[in-house]
Amino acid sequence: MIQAFRRSGGRHGYQLFRCQHYHKSVLAIRREDVNAWERRAPLAPRHIKALAGLGYKVLVQPSNRRAIHEKDYVKAGGIIQEDISEACLILGVKRPPEDKLIPKKMYGFFSHTIKAQEANMPLLDEILRKDIRLIDYEKMVDHRGVRVVAFGKWAGVAGMINILHGMGLRFLALGHHTPFMHIGMAHNYRNSSQAVQAVRDCGYEISLGLMPKSVGPITFVFTGTGNVSKGAQEMFNALPCEFVEPHELKEVSRAGDLRKVYGTVLSRHHHLVRKSDGVYDPVEYDKHPERYTSRFNTDIAPYATCVVNGIYWEQYTPRLLSRQDAQRLLTPLRPSAAATEGCPELPHKLVAICDISADTGGSIEFMTECTTIDSPFCMYDADQHIIHDSVEGLGILMCSIDNLPAQLPIESTECFGDMLFPYIEEMLLSDASEPFESQNYSPVVRDAVITSNGTLTDKYKYIQKLRESRESTQSLAMDKKKKVLLLGSGYVSGPVIEYLSRDPCVEITAASVMKEQLEQLAKQHSSIIPVVMDVTKDEERLSSMVKKHDLVISLLPYSFHPSVAKKCIDSKVNLVTASYLTPAMKELQQSVEAAGITVISEVGLDPGLDHMLAMECIDKAKEVGATVVSYTSFCGGLPAPEHSDNPLRYKFSWSPQGVLLNTVQPATYLKNGEIVNIPAGGALLDSVTVMDFFPGLNLEGFPNRDSTKYAEPYGIQSAHTLLRGTLRYRGYSKAVGGFVKLGLINTELCHLLSAAAPSMKWQELMCKLLGLKPPVKLDDLREAVYNKLDKDERQLEAIEWLGLLGDEPVPRADTLVGALAKHMEIKLSFGTGERDMIIMRNEIGISHPSGHLEEKYISLVVYGDAKGYSAMAKTVGYPTAIAAKMVLDGEINTKGMVIPLMKNVYGPILERVQAEGIVYNIQSVIKQ
């Protein structure tokens, strides 16, 4: 019996040390017959020669597809034979068909069953039924858990060759001939040496400066430090390359040398940080990966031309890139003056992703389907979230072949055989019919035995539990889908639908009077059921629809929520809204409790995330015996600075009428122990304060509604200051003040603008508001408006810019403010390629038992995606969707009216919104 195996010097030399006992067994190498490209074998002729020299009989099933010719196996001492039933050990690379499994034998191959993969469970069942002892190469690991038998390096080598070839095609589609065009697919080379020469030839042209200048510096990011990454880097080194540290990538991507390419190797510590404090602890991460998030999307990916992903992904570990990240990364770059039609610049920095790990839906979330050697590339369009087989069009070039080593079959076979060979004889000397426990295996082999004697071994009995769990889940899903009725199809509906649609067990019906919006939603999310109806008028039909659903999400204006809530009460259906819990809704509290349903309000942005961020800080302070002495919170939805180019410095990302009415509401707040009341009618705009926490943004803020009412629900009655307010760019309040002076923000019925009244131009309406009898010259009207505005030039500029002194028609509306809102929605809407932003700032003063005063600064800044969701849609929609999902899943089961002030509600939402790109920052300053 062999005691040890050791490679000696020289390529084909092996030394085998044995005991005196000699046992002759038969080994068989089976034919690979599942995939047309599978040309590998588990052992090469040199390994057969070594075994034959020891007296073992080796059978080799004939195969013209195998890359190593049969005559080489014969020359080494193998016997070409179809019937391999004589063998006690049968080795292959990939799984055999179920009907070709021979009972009571020992098999070795990659089974892909250890995660209870559904597609391979019939194979596992047949293995168990036939009393086969299965050794899975994937589980042959050393004492550190590192795999000792793998094709990883050759996956990396082949993957790198392929993506260089693919980049040549993609660059050509974008208008650039590059040296990468001279590199072929990996399987077009007899061996890696030939491929290396082709890559070197490409590199020579790059070193001569033949890469188009408008493409800019080419950067590659290699994730992971294992064999896959090393194999890819080995091929990359054939180019004129320079490796830089990850933090240097930004600079070389901007100003690097075009006569070389740049690479960086990413380890965990470069991008993983604890969610709570931004620190990486490797020991804790191994135990609790769910506590961590990746900064790859912000710190690395924006500066990468190509990402070569070689890391293994498991559930609960952070992803490198999400769908939302892809949308941001594909935002078109602003072309420079040097760009021309014949020499275009790249539409975005990230050109390609080579996902060698091939984990669908894993670390690259939007890689949902592997490509193949036949069709190696596809394009991922992040805006439409679609994948199409091409190298043209919009998006990222993707390559995610799951059998890459098959492209370099001879070298892969030889290398894999070298790793497997030291364990062959102990497999041969065992008996599959004997009890597994009686076999004298090394730990490497013993721990890789999945099945034996008709059962799963103890180490792998969990597979059956995984199967049962999945089958139970699928059965429940088939029995009853969770049905959601979504009312409204505006800005926020997209993220709500997108999030809930990730769960195939959720069925969404979207009801709205806006037919075009519904059609667009249905186009983007094929799983939803669109229903065109006016839910505010067709109450009988709405009641009927509510009864058929498990949950209603209302994105209608807040005034309609009580009506919807009453129908939910009647049908005992849960309800979620993002709007304020108004007095009209509060009146339904007893009815809601009696119906035994959950009605959640204020789970958007403001209100919503502001509550949650406040309560997270307040609860933590109370846990250490501290007292909150002050609380201020300001939030605003704004255009991104580069798109704030109008007198109001504002554009609409939500209800224009709501925005305007907020400026004439009353407000109450507490400051230094004194109650401050601001009356309705526009006095709010005189209470504006300069906000300098982000000096570069030039912000102002004003109070919002009654801040004092939050002292009790927040549990901070001890606070001497309590203020919640709205953020705008400086100049907004001044401009809107002009509308108030002119009487335009008026909610009274205006018959002049009704459908029955004659059409009216803005200058005519202005004359009526100012008491001027037409006809009036423009200069005279302008002078009258100027005087009404107390000769404020800024306010007059805003009025003129909006065309309110011109001959544009006034929109039909019930009120003046309604007409102004419709007009401003047209004038101040976001244009193509423009984006909005959300800014929230909480400042909380905390008094500690020690006497120290701590100031907590909580900042949230989110940008919209130019071709995706707005920041407002994301920050309202995702928290709303998460709360809805928690109700559906039973995570929130409190009955009655609920707002997110409890830890079991706000905690999971704050954690999950970060995965959607809604990330906040906390700073702390201790004062004596």
Side-chain angles (χ1 to χ4, degrees), residues 509-548:
T509 299
S512 171
V513 72
M514 308 299 290
K515 183 178 179 181
E516 289 185 3
Q517 288 183 353
L518 267 183
E519 289 174 347
Q520 186 65 26
L521 285 172
K523 182 179 178 182
Q524 294 172 342
H525 308 281
S526 58
S527 61
I528 72 166
I529 303 169
V531 177
V532 179
M533 63 174 288
D534 188 343
V535 298
T536 65
K537 295 180 180 178
D538 196 343
E539 294 198 15
E540 186 175 337
R541 188 179 178 191
L542 177 60
S543 295
S544 176
M545 292 183 69
V546 168
K547 289 178 184 177
K548 299 174 183 177

Side-chain angles (χ1 to χ4, degrees), residues 95 109 140 142 208 218 254 342 423 442 491 556 648 690 752 770:
R95 52 158 291 174
F109 56 86
M140 294 180 69
D142 63 16
L208 293 178
I218 304 295
R254 183 186 63 82
Y423 305 99
S442 65
Y491 298 108
L556 302 172
L648 274 75
V690 173
L752 291 172
L770 295 172

